[in-house]
Amino acid sequence: MDLKIKLEQLQQKVVGLKDQIATEEATKNAFVMPFIQILGYDIFNPTEVVPEHVCDIGTKKGEKVDYVIKNNDEPIFIIECKHWKENADAHNSQLHRYYHVSKTRFGVLTNGIVYNFYTDLEKPNIMDEKPFFTIDIEDLKDSSIKILESFTKKDYNLESILDSAEALKYIKAIRKEFEKEIETPSDEIVKLLVSRFFEKPITANRMISFKEYTKKALTTSINESISFRLKSALSINEQIEKQDEDVKTSQPIDENNDSKIVTTEEELEGFQIVKAIMREKVPAARIAYRDTLSYFGILLDDNNRKPLCRLHFNTANKYIETFHNGKDSGEKVLLNNLDEIYHFREALHKTLENY
């Protein structure tokens, strides 16, 4: 079952049961163990999910961390749990101690609802003070679910996670600072922006005014950007729903310019997924598509000689054809649903190296 569906089911369970969960142990049993199971680890296998693992710290013997998760007999992350009513950020000093004596690269602090993931980006074998990734079961976001996939037993890859951990940490920090600037612009940001068009000295009174102007300008800009994107999305939906001929022949390939070509909503949705994956490597403007009678082609730079993949959605079974082994060596794989396109992220990124 899809990771997102399983997490949504856990979300319903959390919302429905949390008021009846009175202890930390009950939180573990009701919320944390199902979460571990959702990641693909066998909670009934003590060589894979080790409860109450002893982490001796200096002269303190018998200290225990709630869970150690292993993959191929190697510890990959530790989990420290608290009651769901407790703040998941409030006890990282305890996890910090456990992390120091463990052989893992990741520590997780959770109250069964919020899961904070830590690593050692600042100093080797010393857990960072702030998490690089957080997922809230009561406020699931597609972007967070996608990151969590890297921690599943099926897709776990240490190097891949470490490569993205630093980016996740600093993007989160920058976003937080940006949101603070929108709410209450600092003197620094006001001076930076205003000095580009205002040549006079900024007095204390002017600073008060300019702070208010800056807040309104930032808020207005963001709201207008959101409004524009919503209008664009609505416009696209209207075009998809139209059944007239000009939509049916949307962006045909030159050698297949045929009025029988119909670009379906599923093909466009598949294109958006591929586009989102490729945007990690290249600007969105470089990703294009051309529909044909036999397949839906997704191209780099709108160039037929640079195929990224092809979607074969015109039959009962749906396939994706990738070109990571070269543009003349396409590989077709059956898709059970559109979300499985995300499984081809590495193959799609590798295809770029061919061009």
Side-chain angles (χ1 to χ4, degrees), residues 123-149:
K123 296 180 181 178
N125 204 34
I126 298 177
M127 193 184 84
D128 298 337
E129 289 298 323
K130 294 183 179 180
F132 69 90
F133 167 58
T134 297
I135 186 167
D136 186 339
I137 299 301
E138 290 189 312
D139 185 23
L140 292 171
K141 295 180 172 61
D142 288 345
S143 57
S144 297
I145 295 173
K146 187 61 184 172
I147 295 168
L148 186 65
E149 285 183 358

Side-chain angles (χ1 to χ4, degrees), residues 178-185 215:
F178 179 67
E179 290 171 350
K180 284 163 59 177
E181 293 289 357
I182 295 172
E183 183 62 30
T184 309
K215 179 177 180 178

Side-chain angles (χ1 to χ4, degrees), residues 4 8 28 83 108 135 207 225 246 260 282 305 307 354:
K4 181 178 180 179
E8 288 173 344
K28 288 192 242 179
H83 185 257
V108 181
I135 186 167
M207 176 60 75
S225 176
D246 60 337
K260 294 180 180 179
V282 296
R305 294 186 297 276
N354 299 331

Side-chain angles (χ1 to χ4, degrees), residues 2-19:
D2 183 81
L3 179 63
K4 181 178 180 179
I5 295 174
K6 291 180 180 179
L7 289 170
E8 288 173 344
Q9 291 175 346
L10 178 59
Q11 181 187 65
Q12 294 174 5
K13 183 177 182 181
V14 166
V15 172
L17 287 181
K18 66 180 183 180
D19 289 335

Side-chain angles (χ1 to χ4, degrees), residues 212-348:
E212 188 62 30
Y213 300 155
T214 301
K215 179 177 180 178
K216 288 181 179 179
L218 293 175
T219 303
T220 301
S221 178
I222 291 170
N223 287 340
E224 287 182 354
S225 176
I226 292 171
S227 178
F228 175 78
R229 289 176 181 272
L230 287 173
K231 288 178 181 178
S232 297
L234 289 172
S235 176
I236 291 171
N237 287 336
E238 288 174 1
Q239 292 177 31
I240 292 172
E241 291 171 0
K242 287 177 63 178
Q243 297 299 314
D244 53 33
E245 267 322 293
D246 60 337
V247 173
K248 290 181 181 179
T249 57
S250 174
Q251 290 186 288
I253 217 164
D254 293 341
E255 60 268 32
N256 290 279
N257 190 6
D258 195 307
S259 61
K260 294 180 180 179
I261 296 172
V262 178
T263 301
T264 67
E265 186 171 357
E266 280 192 322
E267 289 171 334
L268 291 173
E269 186 176 351
F271 170 68
Q272 293 299 333
I273 293 174
V274 173
K275 188 175 182 179
I277 293 171
M278 302 310 295
R279 283 183 66 185
E280 298 174 18
K281 298 291 185 180
V282 296
R286 296 186 65 189
I287 313 302
Y289 74 82
R290 298 189 190 182
D291 205 355
T292 75
L293 284 173
S294 55
Y295 60 82
F296 182 93
I298 301 177
L299 312 169
L300 180 67
D301 299 327
D302 203 17
N303 188 332
N304 283 334
R305 294 186 297 276
K306 296 180 180 180
L308 295 174
C309 69
R310 291 174 180 171
L311 304 179
H312 298 266
F313 287 0
N314 295 329
T315 60
N317 293 322
K318 295 177 175 56
Y319 298 85
I320 182 171
E321 183 178 4
T322 58
F323 299 91
H324 54 286
N325 292 322
K327 64 184 181 68
D328 298 320
S329 303
E331 290 185 8
K332 288 174 66 174
V333 180
L334 178 68
L335 293 173
N336 295 310
N337 56 65
L338 292 183
D339 286 343
E340 289 189 354
I341 295 174
Y342 285 110
H343 297 166
F344 297 87
R345 176 176 175 272
E346 289 186 7
L348 290 168

Side-chain angles (χ1 to χ4, degrees), residues 66-116:
D66 289 316
Y67 299 103
V68 172
I69 310 301
K70 293 186 175 183
N71 196 353
N72 296 324
D73 207 35
E74 289 292 326
I76 54 177
F77 58 93
I78 59 176
I79 304 177
E80 181 64 15
C81 309
K82 300 301 170 186
H83 185 257
W84 71 268
K85 288 185 177 180
E86 294 190 54
N87 188 332
D89 299 319
H91 303 276
N92 65 358
S93 60
Q94 186 176 6
L95 182 65
H96 190 281
R97 296 198 305 273
Y98 295 151
Y99 185 93
H100 180 65
V101 296
S102 74
K103 296 180 181 180
T104 66
R105 293 299 303 274
F106 304 105
V108 181
L109 181 61
T110 182
N111 59 7
I113 299 175
V114 175
Y115 290 79
N116 286 323

